[in-house]
Amino acid sequence: MSETTYLEAIRDAMREEMLRDDSVFILGEDVGRYGGAFKITEGFLDEFGPDRVIDTPISEAAIVGAAIGAAHMGMRPIAEMQFIDFIAPAFDMIVNFAAKSRYRTGIGAGIVIRGPCGGGARSGPFHSQNVESFFANVPGLKMVAPATARDAKGLLIAAIRDPDPVLYFEHKFLYRRIKEEMAPGEEIVVPIGEARLHREGTDLTIVTYGAMVWKSAEAADRLAEEDGADIEVIDLRSIRPLDIDAIVGSVKKTGRLLIVHEAPKFGGFAGEITAQVCEEAFEWLDAPIRRVTAIDTPVPYAPTLEDYYLPQTEDIVAAARWLLAY
Amino acid sequence: MYRFLLLTRTLEERLESLFKQGHVIGGLYRCLGQEATAVGSAWALEKGDWLAPSIRDAGALYVRGLPAIEMLRQYTARALSPCAGKDNTTHFTIPELGLLGPISPLGTQLCVLNGVALAFKQRGEDRVCLTYQGEGASRTGASHEGFAMAAALNLPIVVVLEHNRWSFGTPSNRAAAVEDWADTAGAYGLPVRSVDGNDLLEVYEASRQAVERARSGGGPGVIVAETYRMLGHAQHDSQRYIPPEELEEWRHRDPIQRFEKVLLDDGWLSEAGLQEIRDDVDREITESVETVLAESYPPSESARTRVFADPALDPPEPWTRILSPEAGAR
């Protein structure tokens, strides 16, 4: 066994799927000769050749469009957005073409669109966003956001094999900070739509995903130590389909729900979770549902601004204490 | 070829009556005046090739093997329509006929058809793609990106740019500051050929050459078809903004009349022969209309199906019904 980083897990998932299945290929900006902006596909061009590791023009709509067409022909494309912020120019192609294809025509678009999301890397408004809410209101799309290296690999393999479009949000802050034991070549498939219990507890449920899993876990540790509170942390892993059963099951146990995400609050995904829990488990709640999210601004650049913008462990601890005392 | 030109026009005339009678759901988009561009270019393809139409290329679909009755089902939103009532007009994808359905945001089907062409190339198959866009659609970001990608990857794809003078209510001189639309296509470094889009055989010949070049690894090609949209954008559009003398001028260049003249003058068909085809097309359409009007809309609850792959819930793919064992282009 060896330690595999979150970034290496993503690389391993793609490489192993490309070795397993000739129809899997990668297209995107600087993925070939340069090896990817974060060096995730380093060496791929030499190993798999220019027909399967395709450098494209800076044309996100054309990248996603070509992925859709190739998928119609039975290929398994992985389209890379160099930063997930750059998914915006491909919005039409994802929302109007990929998401609606099976519904309109009976022919699905089994594509993966992956890209680095999230803040904390001091990268400013256009290299730091979390875009899940842009797409949450679009039927026909699946969305995943792994927090662990194992899930990074397992969800990507599942996404590549999925017959429908999957948006895969990899958190750049976790790329080299998160690592775990994984056997090389170990085939891990994490089913899309299943949450993971990150930490078991009885007093309060924190529902979160992506990098916020680690801040939430840190907050839970502090609350255990300083308050003797027993916090449950659920890592959604998949944003859509949403594992509402796991959330409701936990809420029925703890009676208190805190939702943590890195995207801004207004129209953020926490709102959807709140509504569903109110519909399905209102009687079990002992306190209002609370949200800890980014503030409702673009992602700012200066460290003092970005730290203020992002949800911090302190914020999670404070919100949890408020809920526990309610 | 004559039959497909005629089918396009006659079916749409019938659809216009059905529209007035309230049988057509939503809008009706006519191809009047542009039939030769669609039929002539699609004729250049072979079985196994793929084609993505735009809204005024119904004739290309018939050439690829789509029975006329399916277009009637589409426009009347029947359960048996290729989109099973979930989308309209030419928006269906039928792999066995090599048809990729476009969507309403324009220019996008070029980007997607690029992917089909890419798969052909990756697998070393000598198959070709062909798609259409109006000069209006060619102004979208998707179109520019699609051209850039096709050129950069040297894909086997032919784009027919239909310069029909009007994007909805806006004349083409408001879409780009060029006299000759071949200049816009040339910007991608691709070979361009301009043709009289109302001359069926000229369109066919240029398309055949472009398709052949693409098939032999020569990369994408562009054909600029000079034509005219003889009706408004859709049935609701009274076309008041179009100068009457311009319409009159183009009426004399009607593609079907011109091809009839060629057939008669060159002795391919007699007047009686033409009439026989007209009668045959009429009969097919009349029978199809009768069949389709007796069919039902899809059941309401089917609105929920087919968002994601689900073999347990999905009805059989609607297009499988359309195909006979010998299906395929021509």
Side-chain angles (χ1 to χ4, degrees), chain B residues 89-211:
Chain B
T89 64
T90 59
H91 291 191
F92 43 83
T93 295
I94 303 178
E96 283 75 359
L97 299 181
L99 293 179
L100 175 81
I103 62 171
S104 300
L106 298 174
T108 47
Q109 77 263 31
L110 170 57
C111 291
V112 176
L113 201 64
N114 274 341
V116 175
L118 174 62
F120 293 163
K121 192 166 180 248
Q122 286 169 317
R123 297 169 181 161
E125 299 168 349
D126 63 348
R127 298 158 78 184
V128 172
C129 293
L130 186 143
T131 187
Y132 303 86
Q133 49 183 247
E135 85 274 5
S138 79
R139 303 297 84 193
T140 59
S143 171
H144 290 301
E145 290 196 14
F147 273 114
M149 182 78 90
L153 302 186
N154 197 40
L155 299 174
I157 188 165
V158 175
V159 182
V160 180
L161 200 156
E162 298 171 283
H163 179 210
N164 70 358
R165 268 69 184 173
W166 294 94
S167 335
F168 204 151
T170 302
S172 51
N173 63 9
R174 275 298 178 100
V178 291
E179 287 294 316
D180 183 352
W181 278 75
D183 293 345
T184 68
Y188 308 107
L190 300 176
V192 187
R193 166 102 179 263
S194 293
V195 296
D196 178 347
N198 288 14
D199 182 330
L200 182 75
L201 296 178
E202 193 181 329
V203 173
Y204 166 68
E205 186 49 31
S207 305
R208 194 188 58 75
Q209 287 174 17
V211 163

Side-chain angles (χ1 to χ4, degrees), chain A residues 83-256:
Chain A
F83 286 83
I84 208 66
D85 312 65
F86 306 157
I87 204 168
F91 191 77
D92 187 22
M93 212 54 81
I94 296 168
V95 164
N96 284 323
F97 224 119
K100 295 172 177 53
S101 175
R102 183 181 300 282
Y103 189 73
R104 299 186 309 109
T105 72
I107 315 295
I111 63 174
V112 179
I113 301 169
R114 49 160 284 271
C117 70
R122 312 307 186 204
S123 305
F126 308 110
H127 294 74
S128 308
Q129 295 177 79
N130 292 280
V131 300
E132 63 274 13
S133 282
F134 304 1
F135 298 98
N137 200 224
V138 182
L141 298 177
K142 297 180 181 181
M143 292 190 282
V144 298
T148 69
R150 179 164 284 269
D151 286 344
K153 183 171 182 182
L155 283 170
L156 186 48
I157 291 178
I160 292 168
R161 297 180 186 180
D162 199 279
D164 289 303
V166 182
L167 309 187
Y168 179 98
F169 304 130
E170 52 202 58
H171 204 295
K172 69 176 82 66
F173 192 76
L174 305 181
Y175 271 160
R176 294 178 173 87
R177 288 179 176 85
I178 297 297
K179 58 182 78 161
E180 62 190 294
E181 293 281 318
M182 248 187 279
E186 182 186 351
E187 183 174 278
I188 304 167
V189 185
V190 173
I192 294 172
E194 284 183 19
R196 179 180 65 89
L197 185 61
H198 186 78
R199 185 186 204 282
E200 203 167 351
T202 52
D203 296 336
L204 177 145
T205 301
I206 297 179
V207 168
T208 184
Y209 51 92
M212 288 298 121
V213 169
W214 301 106
K215 281 190 179 168
S216 299
E218 199 176 275
D221 287 345
R222 267 187 55 190
L223 288 159
E225 203 174 302
E226 296 171 16
D227 302 38
D230 190 13
I231 310 293
E232 181 146 301
V233 177
I234 292 179
D235 170 11
L236 283 180
R237 303 196 290 191
S238 292
I239 297 163
R240 199 166 182 183
L242 175 65
D243 191 351
I244 189 65
D245 293 347
I247 299 170
V248 166
S250 177
V251 167
K252 286 182 176 175
K253 181 172 70 170
T254 65
R256 289 178 167 80

Side-chain angles (χ1 to χ4, degrees), chain A residues 49-65:
Chain A
D51 278 342
R52 296 182 69 195
V53 185
I54 302 172
D55 281 323
T56 68
I58 304 175
S59 306
E60 285 82 4
I63 291 168
V64 173

Side-chain angles (χ1 to χ4, degrees), chain B:
Chain B
M1 280 172 122
Y2 177 63
R3 189 187 151 77
F4 293 116
L5 290 178
L6 210 57
L7 191 58
T8 311
R9 184 166 297 180
T10 315
L11 183 67
E12 286 179 2
E13 284 164 356
R14 201 64 64 89
L15 277 166
E16 194 178 322
S17 323
L18 292 170
F19 182 87
K20 286 171 183 161
Q21 293 161 19
H23 292 298
V24 169
I25 307 298
L28 171 60
Y29 303 83
R30 298 280 309 266
C31 309
L32 191 70
Q34 298 180 225
E35 294 92 342
T37 299
V39 170
S41 50
W43 201 267
L45 294 178
E46 287 172 19
K47 194 166 177 167
D49 294 340
W50 272 59
L51 176 146
S54 191
I55 194 77
R56 301 188 207 285
D57 304 305
L61 306 178
Y62 308 135
V63 172
R64 296 299 293 165
L66 185 82
I69 192 171
E70 303 301 342
M71 196 59 96
L72 283 162
R73 289 184 168 124
Q74 277 293 106
Y75 267 116
T76 53
R78 292 313 201 239
L80 287 174
S81 66
C83 288
K86 287 172 171 170
D87 199 357
N88 54 14
T89 64
T90 59
H91 291 191
F92 43 83
T93 295
I94 303 178
E96 283 75 359
L97 299 181
L99 293 179
L100 175 81
I103 62 171
S104 300
L106 298 174
T108 47
Q109 77 263 31
L110 170 57
C111 291
V112 176
L113 201 64
N114 274 341
V116 175
L118 174 62
F120 293 163
K121 192 166 180 248
Q122 286 169 317
R123 297 169 181 161
E125 299 168 349
D126 63 348
R127 298 158 78 184
V128 172
C129 293
L130 186 143
T131 187
Y132 303 86
Q133 49 183 247
E135 85 274 5
S138 79
R139 303 297 84 193
T140 59
S143 171
H144 290 301
E145 290 196 14
F147 273 114
M149 182 78 90
L153 302 186
N154 197 40
L155 299 174
I157 188 165
V158 175
V159 182
V160 180
L161 200 156
E162 298 171 283
H163 179 210
N164 70 358
R165 268 69 184 173
W166 294 94
S167 335
F168 204 151
T170 302
S172 51
N173 63 9
R174 275 298 178 100
V178 291
E179 287 294 316
D180 183 352
W181 278 75
D183 293 345
T184 68
Y188 308 107
L190 300 176
V192 187
R193 166 102 179 263
S194 293
V195 296
D196 178 347
N198 288 14
D199 182 330
L200 182 75
L201 296 178
E202 193 181 329
V203 173
Y204 166 68
E205 186 49 31
S207 305
R208 194 188 58 75
Q209 287 174 17
V211 163
E212 213 164 83
R213 193 181 50 245
R215 200 183 303 284
S216 58
V222 183
I223 293 163
V224 177
E226 299 291 345
T227 182
Y228 201 88
R229 195 191 75 197
M230 296 299 289
L231 286 169
H233 171 60
Q235 203 62 30
H236 59 78
D237 173 0
S238 65
Q239 224 185 357
R240 265 181 311 202
Y241 47 85
I242 294 185
E245 61 279 5
E246 211 171 282
L247 267 183
E248 193 47 38
E249 184 200 325
W250 280 89
R251 205 163 278 133
H252 294 298
R253 298 161 71 171
D254 179 75
I256 297 186
Q257 285 171 16
R258 281 170 70 181
F259 191 55
E260 282 175 350
K261 191 165 182 318
V262 171
L263 292 174
L264 291 170
D265 289 355
D266 294 358
W268 294 101
L269 279 174
S270 63
E271 182 53 48
L274 292 179
Q275 194 56 44
E276 199 177 307
I277 295 175
R278 288 184 199 124
D279 291 345
D280 193 47
V281 164
D282 264 342
R283 192 164 42 246
E284 181 187 344
I285 292 173
T286 303
E287 284 170 13
S288 300
V289 168
E290 219 165 90
T291 306
V292 167
L293 289 185
E295 290 177 1
S296 50
Y297 294 131
S300 305
E301 64 274 19
S302 72
R304 290 186 181 275
T305 62
R306 234 170 61 179
V307 175
F308 294 105
D310 187 350
L313 287 179
D314 283 359
E317 303 300 3
W319 37 264
T320 54
R321 174 189 49 75
I322 297 167
L323 304 164
S324 59
E326 67 278 11
R330 286 188 284 137

Side-chain angles (χ1 to χ4, degrees), chain A residues 257-259 270 273-275 277-278 285 287-291 322-323:
Chain A
L257 176 60
L258 175 63
I259 306 159
I273 298 171
T274 302
V277 170
C278 286
L285 288 169
I289 297 168
R290 289 282 306 263
R291 295 175 287 171
W322 184 91
L323 279 170

